[in-house]
Coordinates of all heavy atoms in Angstrom, one line a residue:
M224 N -2.6 16.9 2.1 CA -1.3 17.6 2.4 C -0.4 17.5 1.2 O -0.4 16.6 0.5 CB -0.7 16.9 3.7 CG 0.1 17.8 4.5 SD 1.0 16.9 5.8 CE -0.3 16.6 7.0
D225 N 0.4 18.5 1.1 CA 1.3 18.6 -0.1 C 2.7 18.2 0.1 O 3.5 18.1 -0.8 CB 1.3 20.1 -0.6 CG 0.4 20.2 -1.8 OD1 -0.2 19.2 -2.2 OD2 0.3 21.3 -2.3
E226 N 3.1 17.9 1.3 CA 4.4 17.5 1.6 C 4.6 16.0 1.7 O 3.7 15.3 2.1 CB 4.9 18.2 2.9 CG 5.0 19.6 2.9 CD 5.2 20.2 4.3 OE1 5.6 19.5 5.2 OE2 4.9 21.4 4.4
F227 N 5.9 15.6 1.4 CA 6.2 14.2 1.6 C 6.6 14.0 3.0 O 7.3 14.8 3.6 CB 7.4 13.9 0.7 CG 7.0 13.6 -0.8 CD1 7.0 14.6 -1.7 CD2 6.5 12.3 -1.1 CE1 6.6 14.4 -3.0 CE2 6.2 12.1 -2.4 CZ 6.2 13.1 -3.4
I228 N 6.1 12.9 3.6 CA 6.4 12.6 5.0 C 7.2 11.3 5.0 O 6.9 10.3 4.3 CB 5.1 12.3 5.8 CG1 4.2 13.5 5.7 CG2 5.4 12.0 7.2 CD1 2.8 13.2 6.2
K229 N 8.3 11.3 5.8 CA 9.1 10.1 6.0 C 8.3 9.1 6.7 O 7.8 9.4 7.8 CB 10.4 10.4 6.7 CG 11.3 9.3 6.9 CD 12.6 9.6 7.6 CE 13.1 8.4 8.3 NZ 14.2 8.6 9.2
V230 N 8.1 7.9 6.2 CA 7.3 6.9 6.8 C 8.0 5.6 7.2 O 7.7 5.0 8.2 CB 6.1 6.5 5.8 CG1 5.3 5.4 6.3 CG2 5.3 7.7 5.5
A231 N 9.0 5.2 6.4 CA 9.6 3.9 6.7 C 11.0 3.9 6.1 O 11.4 4.8 5.3 CB 8.8 2.8 6.0
K232 N 11.8 2.9 6.4 CA 13.1 2.7 5.8 C 12.9 1.5 4.8 O 12.1 0.6 5.0 CB 14.1 2.2 6.8 CG 14.4 3.3 7.9 CD 15.9 3.2 8.2 CE 16.4 4.4 9.0 NZ 16.5 5.6 8.2
K233 N 13.6 1.7 3.6 CA 13.5 0.7 2.6 C 13.8 -0.7 3.2 O 13.1 -1.7 2.8 CB 14.5 1.0 1.5 CG 14.1 2.2 0.6 CD 15.0 2.2 -0.6 CE 15.7 3.5 -0.8 NZ 16.7 3.5 -1.8
S234 N 14.7 -0.8 4.1 CA 15.2 -2.1 4.6 C 14.1 -2.8 5.4 O 14.2 -4.0 5.7 CB 16.4 -1.9 5.4 OG 16.2 -1.0 6.5
E235 N 13.0 -2.0 5.8 CA 12.0 -2.6 6.7 C 11.1 -3.6 5.9 O 10.3 -4.4 6.4 CB 11.1 -1.5 7.3 CG 11.7 -0.7 8.3 CD 10.9 0.5 8.7 OE1 9.7 0.5 8.6 OE2 11.5 1.5 9.2
I236 N 11.0 -3.4 4.5 CA 10.1 -4.1 3.7 C 10.8 -4.9 2.7 O 11.4 -4.4 1.7 CB 9.1 -3.1 3.0 CG1 8.5 -2.1 4.0 CG2 8.0 -3.9 2.3 CD1 7.8 -1.0 3.4
A237 N 10.8 -6.2 2.9 CA 11.6 -7.1 1.9 C 10.8 -7.2 0.6 O 9.6 -6.9 0.5 CB 11.7 -8.5 2.6
E238 N 11.5 -7.6 -0.4 CA 10.9 -7.8 -1.8 C 9.7 -8.7 -1.7 O 9.8 -9.8 -1.1 CB 11.9 -8.3 -2.8 CG 12.8 -7.1 -3.3 CD 13.6 -7.5 -4.6 OE1 13.1 -8.4 -5.3 OE2 14.6 -6.8 -4.8
G239 N 8.7 -8.3 -2.3 CA 7.5 -9.2 -2.4 C 6.6 -9.1 -1.1 O 5.7 -9.9 -0.9
Q240 N 7.0 -8.2 -0.2 CA 6.3 -8.1 1.1 C 5.6 -6.8 1.2 O 5.8 -5.8 0.5 CB 7.3 -8.2 2.3 CG 8.1 -9.5 2.3 CD 7.2 -10.7 2.5 OE1 6.4 -10.7 3.4 NE2 7.4 -11.7 1.7
M241 N 4.6 -6.7 2.2 CA 3.9 -5.4 2.5 C 4.0 -5.2 4.0 O 4.1 -6.1 4.7 CB 2.4 -5.6 2.1 CG 2.2 -5.8 0.7 SD 0.4 -6.0 0.4 CE 0.2 -7.7 0.7
K242 N 3.9 -3.9 4.3 CA 3.8 -3.6 5.7 C 2.8 -2.5 5.9 O 2.6 -1.7 5.0 CB 5.2 -3.1 6.2 CG 6.0 -4.1 6.9 CD 7.0 -3.5 7.8 CE 7.6 -4.6 8.6 NZ 8.7 -4.1 9.5
E243 N 2.2 -2.4 7.1 CA 1.2 -1.4 7.4 C 1.7 -0.3 8.3 O 2.5 -0.6 9.2 CB 0.0 -2.1 8.1 CG -1.2 -1.2 8.4 CD -2.2 -2.0 9.1 OE1 -2.9 -2.8 8.5 OE2 -2.4 -1.8 10.3
Y244 N 1.3 0.9 8.0 CA 1.8 2.1 8.8 C 0.6 2.9 9.1 O -0.4 3.0 8.3 CB 2.8 2.9 8.0 CG 4.1 2.1 7.7 CD1 4.2 1.3 6.6 CD2 5.1 2.1 8.6 CE1 5.3 0.6 6.3 CE2 6.3 1.3 8.4 CZ 6.4 0.6 7.2 OH 7.5 -0.2 7.0
R245 N 0.6 3.7 10.2 CA -0.4 4.7 10.5 C 0.2 6.0 10.3 O 1.3 6.4 10.9 CB -0.8 4.5 12.0 CG -1.6 3.3 12.3 CD -3.0 3.4 11.9 NE -3.8 4.4 12.6 CZ -5.0 4.7 12.3 NH1 -5.7 4.1 11.3 NH2 -5.7 5.6 13.0
I246 N -0.3 6.8 9.4 CA 0.2 8.1 9.1 C -0.9 9.1 9.0 O -1.9 8.9 8.3 CB 0.9 8.2 7.7 CG1 1.9 7.0 7.6 CG2 1.7 9.5 7.5 CD1 1.8 6.3 6.3
S247 N -0.8 10.2 9.8 CA -1.8 11.3 9.7 C -3.2 10.7 9.9 O -4.1 11.1 9.2 CB -1.7 12.1 8.4 OG -0.4 12.5 8.2
G248 N -3.4 9.7 10.8 CA -4.7 9.2 11.0 C -5.2 8.2 10.0 O -6.3 7.7 10.1
K249 N -4.3 7.9 9.0 CA -4.7 6.9 8.0 C -3.9 5.6 8.1 O -2.8 5.6 8.6 CB -4.4 7.4 6.6 CG -5.3 8.6 6.2 CD -4.9 9.0 4.8 CE -5.6 10.3 4.5 NZ -5.8 10.6 3.1
T250 N -4.5 4.5 7.7 CA -3.8 3.2 7.6 C -3.3 3.1 6.2 O -4.2 3.0 5.3 CB -4.7 2.1 8.1 OG1 -5.2 2.4 9.4 CG2 -4.0 0.8 8.0
V251 N -2.0 3.0 6.0 CA -1.5 2.9 4.7 C -0.6 1.6 4.6 O 0.1 1.3 5.6 CB -0.6 4.1 4.4 CG1 0.1 4.0 3.1 CG2 -1.5 5.4 4.4
A252 N -0.7 1.0 3.5 CA 0.2 -0.2 3.3 C 1.3 0.2 2.2 O 1.0 0.9 1.3 CB -0.6 -1.4 2.8
I253 N 2.5 -0.3 2.4 CA 3.6 -0.1 1.5 C 4.1 -1.5 1.0 O 4.3 -2.3 1.9 CB 4.7 0.7 2.1 CG1 4.3 2.1 2.6 CG2 5.8 0.9 1.0 CD1 5.3 2.9 3.3
A254 N 4.2 -1.6 -0.3 CA 4.6 -2.9 -0.8 C 5.9 -2.7 -1.5 O 6.2 -1.6 -2.1 CB 3.6 -3.4 -1.8
N255 N 6.8 -3.7 -1.5 CA 8.0 -3.7 -2.2 C 7.9 -4.7 -3.4 O 7.9 -5.9 -3.1 CB 9.2 -4.1 -1.3 CG 10.5 -4.2 -2.0 OD1 10.6 -4.2 -3.2 ND2 11.6 -4.3 -1.2
I256 N 7.8 -4.2 -4.6 CA 7.7 -5.1 -5.8 C 9.0 -5.0 -6.5 O 9.2 -4.1 -7.3 CB 6.5 -4.7 -6.7 CG1 5.2 -4.5 -5.9 CG2 6.3 -5.7 -7.8 CD1 4.6 -5.7 -5.3
A257 N 9.8 -6.0 -6.3 CA 11.2 -6.1 -7.0 C 11.9 -4.7 -6.8 O 12.4 -4.2 -7.8 CB 11.0 -6.5 -8.4
G258 N 11.9 -4.1 -5.6 CA 12.6 -2.9 -5.4 C 11.8 -1.6 -5.7 O 12.3 -0.5 -5.4
E259 N 10.6 -1.8 -6.2 CA 9.7 -0.6 -6.5 C 8.8 -0.6 -5.3 O 8.1 -1.6 -5.0 CB 9.0 -0.8 -7.8 CG 8.0 0.3 -8.1 CD 7.2 0.1 -9.4 OE1 7.3 -1.0 -9.9 OE2 6.4 1.0 -9.7
F260 N 8.7 0.6 -4.7 CA 7.8 0.8 -3.5 C 6.5 1.4 -3.9 O 6.5 2.5 -4.6 CB 8.5 1.5 -2.4 CG 9.7 0.8 -1.8 CD1 10.9 0.9 -2.3 CD2 9.5 -0.1 -0.7 CE1 12.0 0.2 -1.8 CE2 10.5 -0.8 -0.2 CZ 11.8 -0.7 -0.7
L261 N 5.4 0.8 -3.5 CA 4.0 1.3 -3.8 C 3.3 1.5 -2.5 O 3.3 0.7 -1.6 CB 3.3 0.4 -4.7 CG 4.0 0.2 -6.1 CD1 3.9 -1.2 -6.6 CD2 3.4 1.1 -7.1
A262 N 2.5 2.6 -2.4 CA 1.8 2.9 -1.2 C 0.3 3.1 -1.6 O -0.1 3.7 -2.6 CB 2.3 4.1 -0.6
F263 N -0.6 2.5 -0.7 CA -2.0 2.6 -1.0 C -2.7 2.4 0.4 O -2.1 2.0 1.4 CB -2.4 1.4 -1.9 CG -1.8 0.1 -1.6 CD1 -2.5 -0.8 -0.8 CD2 -0.5 -0.2 -2.0 CE1 -1.9 -2.0 -0.5 CE2 0.1 -1.4 -1.6 CZ -0.6 -2.3 -0.9
D264 N -4.0 2.7 0.4 CA -4.8 2.5 1.6 C -4.7 1.1 2.1 O -4.8 0.1 1.3 CB -6.3 2.8 1.3 CG -6.6 4.3 1.4 OD1 -5.9 5.0 2.0 OD2 -7.6 4.7 0.8
G265 N -4.5 1.0 3.4 CA -4.2 -0.3 4.0 C -5.5 -1.1 4.4 O -5.4 -2.2 4.8
I266 N -6.7 -0.5 4.1 CA -7.9 -1.1 4.5 C -8.8 -1.5 3.3 O -9.1 -0.7 2.5 CB -8.7 -0.2 5.5 CG1 -7.9 0.2 6.7 CG2 -10.0 -0.9 5.9 CD1 -7.5 -0.9 7.6
C267 N -9.2 -2.7 3.2 CA -10.0 -3.2 2.1 C -11.3 -2.5 2.1 O -11.9 -2.2 3.2 CB -10.2 -4.7 2.3 SG -11.1 -5.4 0.9
T268 N -11.8 -2.1 0.9 CA -13.1 -1.4 0.8 C -14.3 -2.3 1.0 O -15.4 -1.8 1.0 CB -13.2 -0.6 -0.5 OG1 -13.0 -1.6 -1.6 CG2 -12.1 0.4 -0.6
H269 N -14.1 -3.6 1.1 CA -15.2 -4.5 1.3 C -15.6 -4.6 2.8 O -16.7 -4.0 3.1 CB -14.8 -5.9 0.8 CG -15.9 -6.9 1.0 ND1 -15.7 -8.1 1.6 CD2 -17.3 -6.8 0.7 CE1 -16.9 -8.7 1.7 NE2 -17.8 -8.0 1.1
A270 N -14.8 -5.2 3.6 CA -15.2 -5.3 5.0 C -14.1 -5.0 5.9 O -13.9 -5.5 7.0 CB -15.7 -6.7 5.3
H271 N -13.2 -4.1 5.5 CA -12.2 -3.4 6.3 C -11.1 -4.4 6.8 O -10.5 -4.1 7.9 CB -12.9 -2.7 7.5 CG -14.0 -1.8 7.1 ND1 -13.8 -0.7 6.3 CD2 -15.3 -1.9 7.3 CE1 -15.0 -0.1 6.0 NE2 -15.9 -0.9 6.6
C272 N -10.8 -5.4 6.1 CA -9.6 -6.2 6.5 C -8.3 -5.5 6.1 O -8.3 -4.6 5.2 CB -9.7 -7.6 5.8 SG -10.9 -8.7 6.5
A273 N -7.3 -5.8 6.8 CA -6.0 -5.2 6.6 C -5.3 -5.8 5.3 O -5.0 -6.9 5.3 CB -5.1 -5.4 7.8
L274 N -5.1 -4.9 4.3 CA -4.6 -5.4 3.1 C -3.2 -5.9 3.2 O -2.7 -6.7 2.4 CB -4.7 -4.3 2.0 CG -6.2 -4.0 1.6 CD1 -6.3 -2.9 0.6 CD2 -6.8 -5.3 1.0
A275 N -2.4 -5.3 4.1 CA -1.0 -5.8 4.3 C -0.9 -7.2 4.7 O 0.1 -7.9 4.5 CB -0.3 -4.9 5.3
G276 N -2.1 -7.8 5.1 CA -2.1 -9.2 5.5 C -2.5 -10.1 4.3 O -2.6 -11.3 4.4
G277 N -2.7 -9.5 3.1 CA -3.1 -10.3 1.9 C -1.9 -10.8 1.2 O -0.8 -10.9 1.7
Y278 N -2.1 -11.2 -0.1 CA -1.1 -11.9 -0.9 C -0.8 -11.0 -2.1 O -1.7 -10.5 -2.8 CB -1.7 -13.2 -1.3 CG -2.3 -14.0 -0.1 CD1 -3.6 -14.0 0.1 CD2 -1.4 -14.6 0.8 CE1 -4.2 -14.7 1.2 CE2 -1.9 -15.3 1.9 CZ -3.3 -15.3 2.1 OH -3.8 -15.9 3.2
L279 N 0.4 -11.0 -2.5 CA 0.9 -10.2 -3.6 C 1.3 -11.2 -4.8 O 2.0 -12.2 -4.5 CB 2.1 -9.4 -3.3 CG 1.9 -8.0 -2.6 CD1 3.2 -7.4 -2.2 CD2 1.0 -7.1 -3.4
D280 N 0.9 -10.8 -6.0 CA 1.4 -11.5 -7.2 C 1.6 -10.4 -8.2 O 0.7 -9.9 -8.8 CB 0.3 -12.5 -7.7 CG 0.8 -13.2 -8.9 OD1 2.0 -13.1 -9.3 OD2 -0.1 -13.9 -9.6
G281 N 2.9 -10.0 -8.3 CA 3.2 -8.8 -9.1 C 2.5 -7.6 -8.4 O 2.6 -7.4 -7.2
Y282 N 1.7 -6.9 -9.3 CA 1.0 -5.7 -8.7 C -0.4 -6.1 -8.3 O -1.2 -5.2 -7.9 CB 0.9 -4.6 -9.8 CG 2.2 -4.1 -10.2 CD1 2.7 -4.2 -11.5 CD2 3.0 -3.3 -9.3 CE1 4.0 -3.7 -11.9 CE2 4.3 -2.8 -9.7 CZ 4.7 -3.0 -11.0 OH 5.9 -2.5 -11.3
T283 N -0.8 -7.3 -8.3 CA -2.1 -7.8 -7.9 C -2.1 -8.2 -6.4 O -1.3 -9.1 -6.1 CB -2.6 -8.9 -8.8 OG1 -2.6 -8.5 -10.1 CG2 -4.0 -9.4 -8.4
L284 N -2.9 -7.5 -5.7 CA -3.0 -7.8 -4.2 C -4.4 -8.5 -4.0 O -5.4 -8.1 -4.5 CB -3.0 -6.6 -3.4 CG -3.1 -6.7 -1.9 CD1 -2.4 -5.5 -1.2 CD2 -4.5 -6.8 -1.4
T285 N -4.3 -9.7 -3.4 CA -5.6 -10.4 -3.0 C -5.8 -10.2 -1.5 O -5.0 -10.6 -0.7 CB -5.4 -11.9 -3.4 OG1 -5.2 -12.0 -4.8 CG2 -6.7 -12.6 -3.1
C286 N -7.0 -9.7 -1.2 CA -7.4 -9.6 0.2 C -7.6 -11.0 0.8 O -8.3 -11.8 0.2 CB -8.7 -8.8 0.3 SG -9.2 -8.5 2.0
Y287 N -7.0 -11.2 2.0 CA -7.1 -12.5 2.6 C -8.5 -12.9 3.2 O -8.8 -14.0 3.4 CB -6.0 -12.7 3.7 CG -6.3 -11.9 5.0 CD1 -7.0 -12.5 6.0 CD2 -5.9 -10.6 5.1 CE1 -7.3 -11.8 7.2 CE2 -6.2 -9.9 6.2 CZ -6.9 -10.4 7.3 OH -7.2 -9.7 8.4
C288 N -9.3 -11.8 3.3 CA -10.6 -12.1 3.9 C -11.6 -12.8 3.0 O -12.2 -13.8 3.3 CB -11.2 -10.8 4.5 SG -10.5 -10.3 6.0
H289 N -11.9 -12.1 1.8 CA -12.9 -12.7 0.9 C -12.4 -12.7 -0.5 O -13.2 -12.9 -1.4 CB -14.2 -11.9 1.0 CG -14.6 -11.6 2.4 ND1 -14.4 -10.4 3.0 CD2 -15.2 -12.4 3.3 CE1 -14.8 -10.5 4.3 NE2 -15.3 -11.7 4.5
G290 N -11.1 -12.5 -0.7 CA -10.6 -12.7 -2.1 C -10.7 -11.5 -3.1 O -10.4 -11.7 -4.2
A291 N -11.1 -10.3 -2.6 CA -11.1 -9.2 -3.6 C -9.7 -9.0 -4.1 O -8.7 -9.2 -3.3 CB -11.6 -8.0 -2.9
Q292 N -9.6 -8.5 -5.3 CA -8.2 -8.2 -5.8 C -8.1 -6.7 -6.3 O -9.1 -6.2 -6.8 CB -7.9 -9.1 -7.0 CG -7.7 -10.6 -6.6 CD -7.2 -11.4 -7.7 OE1 -7.7 -11.3 -8.8 NE2 -6.3 -12.3 -7.3
F293 N -7.0 -6.1 -6.0 CA -6.7 -4.7 -6.3 C -5.4 -4.7 -7.1 O -4.5 -5.4 -6.9 CB -6.5 -3.9 -5.1 CG -7.7 -3.8 -4.2 CD1 -7.9 -4.7 -3.2 CD2 -8.7 -2.8 -4.4 CE1 -9.0 -4.7 -2.3 CE2 -9.8 -2.8 -3.5 CZ -9.9 -3.7 -2.5
D294 N -5.4 -3.7 -8.1 CA -4.1 -3.4 -8.7 C -3.5 -2.3 -7.9 O -4.0 -1.2 -7.8 CB -4.4 -2.8 -10.1 CG -3.2 -2.3 -10.9 OD1 -2.2 -2.0 -10.2 OD2 -3.2 -2.3 -12.1
I295 N -2.4 -2.6 -7.2 CA -1.9 -1.6 -6.2 C -1.1 -0.5 -6.9 O -0.7 0.5 -6.3 CB -1.0 -2.3 -5.2 CG1 0.2 -3.0 -5.8 CG2 -1.8 -3.2 -4.3 CD1 1.3 -3.4 -4.8
K296 N -0.9 -0.5 -8.2 CA -0.4 0.6 -8.9 C -1.4 1.7 -9.1 O -1.2 2.9 -8.9 CB 0.2 0.2 -10.3 CG 1.7 0.4 -10.4 CD 2.1 -0.1 -11.8 CE 3.2 0.7 -12.4 NZ 4.5 0.7 -11.8
S297 N -2.6 1.3 -9.5 CA -3.7 2.3 -9.7 C -4.7 2.3 -8.6 O -5.5 3.3 -8.5 CB -4.4 1.9 -11.0 OG -5.1 0.7 -10.8
G298 N -4.8 1.3 -7.8 CA -5.8 1.2 -6.7 C -7.1 0.5 -7.2 O -8.0 0.3 -6.4
S299 N -7.2 0.3 -8.5 CA -8.5 -0.2 -9.0 C -8.8 -1.7 -8.6 O -7.9 -2.4 -8.3 CB -8.5 -0.1 -10.6 OG -7.5 -0.9 -11.1
V300 N -10.1 -1.9 -8.6 CA -10.6 -3.3 -8.2 C -10.4 -4.2 -9.4 O -10.9 -3.9 -10.5 CB -12.0 -3.2 -7.8 CG1 -12.6 -4.6 -7.5 CG2 -12.2 -2.3 -6.6
L301 N -9.8 -5.4 -9.2 CA -9.6 -6.3 -10.3 C -10.6 -7.5 -10.2 O -10.9 -8.2 -11.1 CB -8.2 -6.9 -10.3 CG -7.1 -5.9 -10.6 CD1 -5.7 -6.6 -10.4 CD2 -7.2 -5.2 -11.9
A302 N -11.1 -7.7 -8.9 CA -12.0 -8.8 -8.7 C -12.9 -8.5 -7.5 O -12.4 -7.9 -6.5 CB -11.3 -10.1 -8.5
P303 N -14.1 -8.8 -7.5 CA -15.0 -8.6 -6.3 C -14.6 -9.4 -5.2 O -13.9 -10.4 -5.3 CB -16.4 -8.9 -6.9 CG -16.1 -9.9 -8.0 CD -14.8 -9.6 -8.6
P304 N -15.2 -9.2 -4.0 CA -16.4 -8.3 -3.7 C -16.0 -6.9 -3.3 O -17.0 -6.2 -2.9 CB -17.0 -9.0 -2.5 CG -15.8 -9.6 -1.7 CD -14.8 -10.0 -2.8
A305 N -14.8 -6.4 -3.5 CA -14.6 -5.0 -3.1 C -15.4 -4.0 -4.0 O -15.3 -4.1 -5.2 CB -13.1 -4.7 -3.3
P306 N -16.2 -3.1 -3.4 CA -17.1 -2.3 -4.1 C -16.3 -1.0 -4.7 O -16.8 -0.4 -5.6 CB -18.1 -1.8 -3.1 CG -17.4 -1.9 -1.8 CD -16.4 -3.0 -1.9
E307 N -15.2 -0.6 -4.1 CA -14.6 0.6 -4.4 C -13.1 0.4 -4.6 O -12.5 -0.5 -3.9 CB -14.8 1.7 -3.3 CG -16.2 2.0 -3.0 CD -16.8 3.0 -3.9 OE1 -16.0 3.6 -4.7 OE2 -18.0 3.1 -3.9
P308 N -12.4 1.2 -5.4 CA -10.9 1.1 -5.4 C -10.3 1.6 -4.1 O -11.0 2.2 -3.3 CB -10.5 2.0 -6.6 CG -11.7 2.9 -6.8 CD -12.9 2.2 -6.3
V309 N -9.0 1.4 -3.9 CA -8.3 2.0 -2.8 C -7.5 3.2 -3.4 O -7.1 3.2 -4.5 CB -7.4 1.0 -2.1 CG1 -8.1 0.0 -1.3 CG2 -6.4 0.3 -3.1
S310 N -7.3 4.2 -2.5 CA -6.4 5.3 -2.9 C -5.0 4.9 -2.9 O -4.6 4.0 -2.2 CB -6.6 6.4 -1.9 OG -7.9 6.9 -1.8
V311 N -4.2 5.4 -3.9 CA -2.8 5.2 -3.9 C -2.1 6.5 -3.6 O -2.7 7.6 -3.8 CB -2.4 4.6 -5.3 CG1 -3.0 3.2 -5.5 CG2 -2.7 5.5 -6.4
Y312 N -0.9 6.4 -3.2 CA -0.1 7.6 -2.7 C 1.2 7.7 -3.4 O 1.9 6.6 -3.7 CB 0.1 7.5 -1.2 CG -1.2 7.5 -0.4 CD1 -1.7 6.3 0.1 CD2 -2.0 8.6 -0.3 CE1 -2.9 6.2 0.7 CE2 -3.2 8.6 0.4 CZ -3.6 7.4 0.9 OH -4.9 7.3 1.5
E313 N 1.6 8.9 -3.7 CA 2.9 9.1 -4.3 C 4.0 8.8 -3.4 O 4.0 9.1 -2.2 CB 3.0 10.6 -4.7 CG 3.6 10.9 -6.0 CD 3.6 12.4 -6.3 OE1 2.5 13.0 -6.2 OE2 4.7 13.0 -6.6
V314 N 5.0 8.1 -3.9 CA 6.2 7.6 -3.1 C 7.4 8.3 -3.6 O 7.6 8.5 -4.8 CB 6.4 6.1 -3.3 CG1 7.6 5.6 -2.6 CG2 5.1 5.4 -2.8
K315 N 8.3 8.7 -2.7 CA 9.6 9.3 -3.0 C 10.6 8.6 -2.2 O 10.4 8.3 -1.0 CB 9.6 10.8 -2.7 CG 10.8 11.5 -3.3 CD 10.5 13.0 -3.3 CE 11.0 13.7 -2.0 NZ 10.8 15.1 -2.0
L316 N 11.7 8.2 -2.8 CA 12.8 7.5 -2.1 C 13.9 8.5 -1.9 O 14.3 9.3 -2.7 CB 13.3 6.3 -2.9 CG 12.2 5.3 -3.2 CD1 12.8 4.1 -4.0 CD2 11.6 4.7 -1.9
D317 N 14.5 8.5 -0.7 CA 15.6 9.4 -0.3 C 16.6 8.6 0.5 O 16.4 8.3 1.6 CB 15.0 10.5 0.6 CG 16.0 11.5 0.9 OD1 17.1 11.5 0.3 OD2 15.7 12.4 1.7
D318 N 17.7 8.2 -0.2 CA 18.7 7.3 0.4 C 17.9 6.0 0.8 O 17.4 5.3 0.1 CB 19.4 7.9 1.5 CG 20.4 9.0 0.9 OD1 20.8 8.9 -0.2 OD2 20.6 10.0 1.7
S319 N 17.9 5.8 2.2 CA 17.4 4.6 2.7 C 15.9 4.8 3.1 O 15.3 3.8 3.6 CB 18.2 4.1 3.9 OG 18.2 5.1 4.8
D320 N 15.4 6.0 2.9 CA 14.0 6.3 3.4 C 12.9 6.2 2.4 O 13.2 6.5 1.2 CB 14.0 7.7 4.1 CG 14.9 7.8 5.3 OD1 15.0 6.8 6.0 OD2 15.5 8.9 5.5
I321 N 11.7 5.9 2.8 CA 10.5 6.0 2.0 C 9.7 7.1 2.5 O 9.3 7.2 3.7 CB 9.7 4.6 2.1 CG1 10.6 3.5 1.7 CG2 8.5 4.7 1.2 CD1 9.9 2.1 1.9
L322 N 9.3 8.0 1.6 CA 8.5 9.2 1.9 C 7.2 9.1 1.1 O 7.2 8.6 -0.1 CB 9.2 10.5 1.6 CG 10.5 10.7 2.4 CD1 11.7 10.2 1.6 CD2 10.7 12.2 2.5
L323 N 6.1 9.5 1.7 CA 4.8 9.5 1.1 C 4.2 10.8 1.1 O 4.3 11.6 2.1 CB 3.9 8.5 1.8 CG 4.3 7.0 1.9 CD1 3.1 6.2 2.5 CD2 4.7 6.4 0.6
K324 N 3.4 11.1 0.0 CA 2.6 12.3 0.0 C 1.2 11.9 0.4 O 0.5 11.2 -0.4 CB 2.6 13.0 -1.3 CG 2.1 14.4 -1.3 CD 2.0 14.9 -2.7 CE 3.2 15.7 -3.1 NZ 3.0 16.4 -4.4
I325 N 0.7 12.2 1.6 CA -0.6 11.7 2.1 C -1.6 12.8 2.0 O -1.3 13.9 2.5 CB -0.4 11.2 3.6 CG1 0.5 10.0 3.6 CG2 -1.8 10.8 4.1 CD1 0.0 8.8 3.0
Ligands
FES1008 S1 -12.6 -7.5 3.4 FE1 -11.4 -7.6 1.6 S2 -12.5 -8.9 0.3 FE2 -13.8 -8.8 2.1

């Protein structure tokens, strides 16, 4: 889809935190990294654990299930066992809202 969809309010996601949302049949996680919002697939490509339940260190997300690491800016895998990167989504901020292009 080519349009941005309003998904969340900035105030819902504290700095250093992630939250999971269901949009257009997809599970998407949004992270707040020092006021920068990043959106990516919310399901780990290894064994389908919820990435919003993992741990953030800057842009590095560690899956809580088996320790795979992703760069949430690019979606790329930084550490196994995740076999594939996650998709990342374009984010637009509008006043207090977070919009995504899904
Ligand atoms: S499900 Fe994420 S590392 Fe296994």
